[in-house]
Amino acid sequence: MKTFSATLTGFIEVDTDQQCDAEILMESILRDVRSALAERGSIKDSSIYVSTIEEVLDKQP
């Protein structure tokens, strides 16, 4: 049996009033992702985490 590894990249943008609300929401999303991975029998190991949470400044002039 061969073992393969994948690296996922991307971002999730959310609208909240406070950064702490965004952090709570991200942790909830990560729990859902980890739960979905745990349901797959062939996944040996995984490491998924939030590396940064930054405010997105308004792009309108």
Side-chain angles (χ1 to χ4, degrees):
M1 175 99 40
K2 295 180 180 180
T3 300
F4 298 90
S5 176
T7 301
L8 307 174
T9 58
F11 71 93
I12 300 171
E13 191 171 284
V14 298
D15 288 329
T16 63
D17 292 326
Q18 300 290 324
Q19 181 170 337
C20 63
D21 295 335
E23 292 168 357
I24 292 167
L25 182 56
M26 287 298 112
E27 286 302 320
S28 175
I29 291 168
L30 280 179
R31 275 193 302 275
D32 292 345
V33 169
R34 290 179 182 127
S35 176
L37 290 174
E39 293 174 358
R40 308 283 183 201
S42 60
I43 295 178
K44 284 178 40 176
D45 193 18
S46 65
S47 176
I48 297 178
Y49 58 91
V50 175
S51 61
T52 61
I53 295 181
E54 301 173 334
E55 182 177 357
V56 176
L57 300 176
D58 192 6
K59 297 177 185 176
Q60 297 176 0

